[in-house]
Amino acid sequence: MTGEPAGTPYWEPSELPPQPQLHGVVTADVAVVGAGLAGLSCAYHLAERAPGLDIAVLDAEQPAAGASGRGTGLLGPRAGPAVDRAVRRFGPRTARRMHRASERAVRDVLDLCARLDVPCGLRPGEQLMATRSAAGLIALARRARACRDIGLDVPVLTPAGIRDRVGVPYRAALLHRPAATLDPAALTCALARACADRGVRFYGRSPLLALRPGDLVGPELVLPHGRLYAGQAVLAVNSAAQALDLPVGTVLPVEVYALATEPLSASAYDELGGRAGHSVVDAVALAPYFRLLPDRGLVAGGGAATLPSGLGAPG
């Protein structure tokens, strides 16, 4: 994320390892920039597979301060463009491998949660890609056909099949498995603690200002109060990549919003499939989606995305 996130996150960050601000000249075998889920997962697996590797994690604020502490906690398969577009863009073999990899990624997160033994509100369930609109029906039909053609097990649900799961009058849905919902801030903070237990060092309030080729080996990371020389650097900075002049193509940061409700009535919670832990994502881009919380609350999002101020474009 770039800039100061708006609103108050529903998820409360938990205990974190010490994160002094980086001052002076520091070295590391690997520098990971960005203490969100992507950066911390990278640091965790590096430390696990190569004990003794000197790893430093830097963040402009602290773990879970950005999108990883403000997400809605939906865990489900699908990576990149919709499967029908992936087939057209990359071919059927690559599209199938992409989807299979996303299914493995979900299982890997479920396994990671079990190994970390963190109370992150994890609830395995199903994820419905559903629609009530004509445009959504067309999009779902294309995706269902593409899944069938490349041998993916993504069943189509009729209105009756949807009602068996959630009491919302959708016209059709694709059923994605495996899937789950969880508390993303709790998982992010647990990853940070697990990294620290494996010897990973943290530097907070240390935004990356510039990345330069090092004099000897590896890059030089320029920070407000010092420099870090690393053998290798991993930049897990989300939409800040463009501000750092990284070669990632065109990146347009947008602001999207979600809200969390007070606990629903027991009947409403059951009607929306709360006991089973289902989540629902609309097939139309930026259309509403929702998931239920263990405390009977509901998280819902969707609607128009806006450009952050300062980009010279209307909302």
Side-chain angles (χ1 to χ4, degrees):
M1 296 180 70
T2 58
E4 185 67 25
T8 302
Y10 171 79
W11 318 106
E12 288 286 343
S14 53
E15 179 187 353
L16 290 168
Q19 306 152 68
Q21 197 172 41
L22 190 148
H23 285 264
V25 176
V26 176
T27 62
D29 294 327
V30 179
V32 178
V33 183
L37 284 167
L40 292 174
S41 178
C42 175
Y44 173 82
H45 289 291
L46 275 175
E48 189 175 51
R49 296 179 187 184
L53 197 66
D54 183 19
I55 303 169
V57 174
L58 303 89
D59 196 87
E61 296 182 45
Q62 65 178 22
S68 294
R70 293 169 176 266
T72 50
L74 295 174
L75 176 63
R78 300 188 318 277
V83 65
D84 56 313
R85 269 185 263 158
V87 169
R88 293 197 302 272
R89 189 177 302 175
F90 308 117
R93 184 169 178 270
T94 298
R96 187 174 189 276
R97 288 177 62 196
M98 289 168 61
H99 189 85
R100 290 289 194 209
S102 75
E103 292 176 332
R104 288 195 301 273
V106 172
R107 295 187 182 97
D108 286 345
V109 174
L110 296 175
D111 177 63
L112 179 64
C113 290
R115 281 190 286 143
L116 295 178
D117 192 25
V118 54
C120 62
L122 178 70
R123 298 205 306 162
E126 299 173 333
Q127 190 175 102
L128 282 66
M129 176 69 75
T131 190
R132 288 188 283 185
S133 70
L137 284 173
I138 294 171
L140 282 185
R142 289 174 179 159
R143 294 172 197 176
R145 188 180 307 115
C147 289
R148 186 172 60 250
D149 290 346
I150 63 176
L152 296 178
D153 180 23
V154 183
V156 177
L157 295 181
T158 64
I162 297 168
R163 281 196 304 273
D164 287 341
R165 291 166 170 84
V166 294
V168 180
Y170 288 105
R171 298 170 67 182
L174 298 182
L175 184 64
H176 288 284
R177 299 171 298 208
T181 57
L182 51 80
D183 175 339
L187 178 57
T188 305
C189 295
L191 268 173
R193 295 192 299 272
C195 286
D197 289 343
R198 286 161 174 76
V200 175
R201 291 177 287 133
F202 283 82
Y203 296 100
R205 295 175 293 114
S206 301
L208 178 63
L209 301 180
L211 185 69
R212 301 171 182 162
D215 294 332
L216 298 174
V217 293
E220 175 191 14
L221 286 73
V222 181
L223 307 158
H225 304 288
R227 282 166 169 67
L228 190 152
Y229 293 91
Q232 293 177 300
V234 177
L235 306 178
V237 295
N238 207 335
S239 61
Q242 195 166 40
L244 293 169
D245 262 343
L246 300 179
V248 293
T250 301
V251 176
L252 180 65
V254 296
E255 294 175 348
V256 293
Y257 297 89
L259 59 86
T261 72
E262 295 289 334
L264 306 175
S265 68
S267 59
Y269 189 71
D270 289 341
E271 180 72 9
L272 290 172
R275 304 294 175 193
H278 303 309
S279 57
V280 179
V281 180
D282 200 287
V284 178
L286 298 176
Y289 62 87
F290 71 86
R291 59 154 296 193
L292 292 151
L293 301 167
D295 68 357
R296 294 215 325 256
L298 177 143
V299 174
T306 59
L307 298 172
S309 59
L311 292 179

